[in-house]
Amino acid sequence: MQGASVTIEDLACRRGDRLLFRGLSQRLGPGEALHVTGSNGIGKSSLLRIVAGLAPAFAGTVQTGGAIGLIDERHALDHALPLGRALAFWRVLDRAEDSAVERLGLAPLLDVPVRYLSTGQKKRAALARLIGENAAIWLLDEPLNGLDSDAAALTEALVAEHCAGGGIALIASHQPFTLARKRTLALGEFAA
Amino acid sequence: MSGRLLPLLKRDMARLLLGGRGGGAVMPVLFFLTVAMLYPFAVGPDARLLARTGGGVIWIAALLAAILPLDRLVEPDIEGGQFDQWALRGMSEEIVIAVRVLAHWLSFGPPLMLAALPAAALLGIDEPTLRTVELGLLAGTPGLAALGVTVAALTAGLRGGAALGGLLVIPLAVPVLIFGAGSLGSGGDSGLALAAAASLVLLAIAPFAGGAAVRSARS
């Protein structure tokens, strides 16, 4: 994860006819975390999708160094499959060794079809996929939604470990996110 | 890269063959056989008429059966976020769609070719005609699979997308149908060759059209 970087320069984002934010510049190096805050609809998710390269920037540039892992409200696990097999598909794609299934408390759920899992359980499964992906840059869209307090604390600990290992985390959340060394970006200040 | 295509193909095959709620590959085959079974009831028991028109009915049934799984081909993976995750791993939409075409064909092409044997018996089709039908299906069904995946990608996320998809597939499948079913009348290889050519065109377009459609569905 050496040399991970995210450089955002003079970024503007448009959804439909509305300009959501503009003039956003940020630079993140190894081990740094950025907590993007702001009210609903201000463009937090859009910012993450632009950084991920999944949505076009209206103006400005984003440069990333390192593989990108994304967690958003869509967990990308096949509904019909048992959780173990749904995760195994991604583990094979990512050639993952450790996916922290035990640590995330997913071991008893591996035989349960994904469609029977709760929101929080699916979120934890998505975290397991993210850890297996071994990406340098984590983009987390509302990572604490639906998690109980234990799982939320575990998520915060996992992000802290990721950053301690030289990774970058971009967290978009309107909820407080406890992390020792993080910067906070209030996206509202850049609203157009 | 190639190490990722095989797991993807396996996963797509499992989804399309076994298919959970959609019934997988069994439904199109049963539908196909039902049409072949209904046809003699509708036109009467005239054996010569059945034998003469049976090949065409098999083609119509194959085309309609190919439409059945349309709504499961692409949309669930856009809704579920799988395409986003693949893109982040450097797997382009074009590659994923190409694999999907192969998986879709494997899940309905060969089963339909097998089901054409009992269907031919039901319709009283003779052996040379059956051979032409089977070869025609072999040439034509890959094109139908490519067309199905392309249209499924184009209509993903639209309201009534499945019904619209069916309506779009039918006219675009006409060339394959004309040449495939036409080879029965002439009994010639030229019809088969042209069906295969129409199939190849659809196969060549599918990854690019489908991939662009998936990307544009993101915004």
Side-chain angles (χ1 to χ4, degrees), chain B residues 51-52 54-55 58-59 116-117 120-121 124-137 180-189 192:
Chain B
R52 196 156 51 82
I58 287 186
W59 264 97
L117 298 175
I125 295 173
D126 58 15
E127 204 173 308
T129 313
L130 176 61
R131 194 178 145 272
T132 315
V133 167
E134 291 284 6
L135 284 176
L137 286 178
S183 68
L184 293 165
S186 64
D189 295 338
L192 291 178

Side-chain angles (χ1 to χ4, degrees), chain A:
Chain A
M1 291 190 198
Q2 291 308 307
S5 68
V6 174
T7 310
I8 300 169
E9 268 172 35
D10 202 22
L11 187 70
C13 165
R14 196 173 79 163
R15 290 280 292 176
D17 290 336
R18 264 177 3 111
L19 200 59
L20 291 181
F21 57 80
R22 65 178 169 203
L24 177 67
S25 294
Q26 284 288 327
R27 193 177 291 268
L28 288 161
E32 291 188 306
L34 182 69
H35 183 183
V36 184
T37 62
S39 49
N40 298 136
I42 201 136
K44 300 189 293 289
S45 301
S46 300
L47 171 62
L48 257 55
R49 290 184 69 77
I50 292 173
V51 172
L54 294 172
F58 180 58
T61 57
V62 174
Q63 285 178 331
T64 55
I68 295 174
L70 169 74
I71 285 192
D72 56 11
E73 80 282 8
R74 295 173 305 164
H75 47 75
L77 298 164
D78 290 330
H79 289 273
L81 291 183
L83 178 62
R85 281 180 51 206
L87 281 174
F89 168 68
W90 293 105
R91 214 166 45 237
V92 171
L93 279 194
D94 293 331
R95 295 185 188 84
E97 286 139 24
D98 169 35
S99 60
V101 163
E102 294 282 341
R103 201 172 158 198
L104 286 160
L106 295 170
L109 301 173
L110 291 181
D111 293 331
V112 181
V114 171
R115 64 172 177 276
Y116 293 131
L117 297 180
S118 73
T119 312
Q121 288 168 331
K122 285 178 196 158
K123 200 104 203 180
R124 280 190 272 153
L127 269 169
R129 184 190 64 224
L130 178 69
I131 290 166
E133 194 182 345
N134 200 22
I137 302 166
W138 281 10
L139 305 177
L140 311 172
D141 191 358
E142 300 291 355
L144 302 184
N145 265 12
L147 292 179
D148 57 35
S149 53
D150 286 350
L154 178 59
T155 306
E156 290 168 345
L158 286 168
V159 174
E161 282 172 30
H162 173 68
C163 290
I168 291 177
L170 246 83
I171 302 141
S173 178
H174 60 272
Q175 292 170 310
F177 195 95
T178 314
L179 200 61
R181 291 173 50 222
K182 68 162 189 185
R183 283 187 281 151
T184 302
L185 169 73
L187 201 53
E189 293 169 12
F190 298 89

